[in-house]
C-alpha cells in the first residue's frame, strides 16, 4: 500500500533449503520495491551461460555443497553496491560470509523462516530442481545444519533476528513477514 511506498530496508531471508525464502523474497521485493538478490539464481544463471564462474559453481551445487566463501562474497559485493535497500535470499550461508557482509553494509532485519525437517524434505522432493535429488537433499540439509544454522544465534545476539513460522499458505506467511517488517 501507499503507506509503505518508501520503505527502504536491508533484509536477509534465512532458513533451510525449501523453507520458502525465494518465494517470499520475491513477493516482498515486489510489494516494497526492494531489489531481490538471490545467490542461487545468480549461480544458476552463470551455469546456464556456461561461464567460468558457472562451471566452478556447478561442481559444488550438483553435490549440494556450498560454493567457496570468497566467490560468494565477491558476488554480493558486486550486487549490493550503490543499493539503499535490498533483500538477500540465500546469502549469507556461513558465519564467515556473515562477518564479511558486516564489513560491507549494515543489515536492518533478518527474517528467519522456520520449517521442520520433515516438511522441507517433502517440499524439496516435490520441487524437482537439479539439486533436489534425494541424496543431494540430505547433504544440503546436513550442510545447512552445520554451516548456516549458527547464523540464527549470530543475528539473535545482534537483536535483528525475526523468527517466522514457515508453515502455512503463501499468503499467510507473507502476512507474518509484513507484520514483522512494519514494526519498529
Ligand atoms: P539456493 O537456490 O539458495 O538453494 O542455492 C542453490 C545452491 O547454490 C546451494 O546449494 C549452493 O551450492 C549454492 N549457493 C547459493 N548461495 C550460496 C552461498 N551464499 N554460499 C555458498 N553457496 C551458495
Amino acid at each position: 500500500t501507499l503507506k509503505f511506498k518508501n520503505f527502504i530496508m536491508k533484509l536477509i531471508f534465512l532458513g533451510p533449503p525449501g523453507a520458502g525464502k525465494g518465494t517470499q523474497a520475491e513477493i516482498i521485493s515486489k510489494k516494497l520495491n526492494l531489489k531481490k538478490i538471490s545467490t542461487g539464481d545468480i549461480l544458476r544463471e552463470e551455469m546456464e551461460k556456461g561461464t567460468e564462474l558457472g562451471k566452478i559453481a556447478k561442481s559444488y551445487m550438483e553435490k549440494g555443497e556450498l560454493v567457496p566463501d570468497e566467490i560468494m562474497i565477491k558476488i554480493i559485493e558486486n550486487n549490493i553496491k550503490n543499493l539503499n535497500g535490498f533483500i538477500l535470499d540465500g546469502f549469507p550461508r556461513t558465519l564467515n560470509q556473515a562477518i564479511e557482509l558486516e564489513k560491507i553494509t549494515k543489515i536492518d532485519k533478518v527474517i528467519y523462516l522456520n520449517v521442520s525437517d520433515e516438511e522441507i524434505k517433502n517440499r524439496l522432493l516435490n520441487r524437482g530442481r537439479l539439486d533436489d535429488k534425494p541424496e543431494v537433499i540430505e547433504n544440503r540439509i546436513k550442510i545447512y545444519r552445520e554451516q548456516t544454522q549458527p547464523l540464527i544465534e549470530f543475528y539473535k545476539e545482534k537483536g535483528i533476528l525475526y523468527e517466522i513460522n514457515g508453515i502455512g499458505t503463501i499468503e499467510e506467511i507473507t502476512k507474518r513477514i509484513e507484520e514483522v517488517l512494519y514494526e519498529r
Side-chain angles (χ1 to χ4, degrees):
T1 54
L2 216 61
K3 202 170 147 201
F4 301 115
K5 220 177 164 185
N6 293 312
F7 199 82
I8 300 166
M9 276 198 138
K10 295 179 177 176
L11 306 172
I12 290 171
F13 278 34
L14 188 66
K21 297 186 297 291
T23 304
Q24 293 297 334
E26 179 70 20
I27 294 170
I28 298 291
S29 94
K30 288 210 173 105
K31 282 199 172 200
L32 298 182
N33 197 25
L34 292 173
K35 187 171 184 223
K36 182 192 85 155
I37 297 150
S38 163
T39 46
D41 287 349
I42 292 171
L43 295 173
R44 278 184 290 275
E45 251 168 56
E46 294 290 329
M47 265 169 59
E48 273 160 35
K49 284 191 279 183
T51 64
E52 208 48 50
L53 169 60
K55 282 175 203 155
I56 296 168
K58 185 168 188 263
S59 66
Y60 294 94
M61 290 168 84
E62 64 191 6
K63 287 180 276 177
E65 313 257 318
L66 294 182
V67 174
D69 286 340
E70 312 83 79
I71 295 178
M72 298 313 301
I73 291 154
K74 267 197 207 117
I75 291 176
I76 283 299
E77 259 176 339
N78 288 333
N79 277 277
I80 69 176
K81 62 176 169 216
N82 307 325
L83 291 180
N84 298 319
F86 53 73
I87 299 177
L88 297 183
D89 160 31
F91 185 97
R93 260 182 159 94
T94 66
L95 215 45
N96 185 33
Q97 289 178 12
I99 290 164
E100 290 303 315
L101 178 62
E102 279 199 313
K103 296 179 192 166
I104 304 170
T105 192
K106 187 179 171 292
I107 298 298
D108 296 300
K109 289 183 179 180
V110 178
I111 302 298
Y112 164 45
L113 287 176
N114 192 358
V115 175
S116 68
D117 265 17
E118 193 119 349
E119 176 77 11
I120 58 180
K121 275 178 209 163
N122 285 330
R123 288 189 193 180
L124 292 173
L125 283 169
N126 287 320
R127 195 166 66 175
R129 213 169 67 187
L130 194 72
D131 55 350
D132 288 339
K133 296 189 204 82
E135 332 81 72
V136 181
I137 289 175
E138 286 300 331
N139 198 33
R140 282 164 61 208
I141 293 172
K142 177 172 164 276
I143 286 174
Y144 170 77
R145 297 267 168 261
E146 291 170 359
Q147 309 239 53
T148 310
Q149 206 153 260
L151 297 182
I152 296 166
E153 207 47 49
F154 178 83
Y155 288 119
K156 211 182 257 176
E157 276 170 23
K158 296 186 182 297
I160 58 170
L161 190 91
Y162 296 83
E163 182 169 341
I164 303 283
N165 173 7
I167 306 279
T169 65
I170 289 177
E171 294 76 17
E172 281 166 348
I173 296 162
T174 303
K175 215 166 181 185
R176 289 176 201 152
I177 296 171
E178 286 183 293
E179 273 167 24
V180 152
L181 292 182
Y182 303 152
E183 86 185 19
R184 284 196 288 155

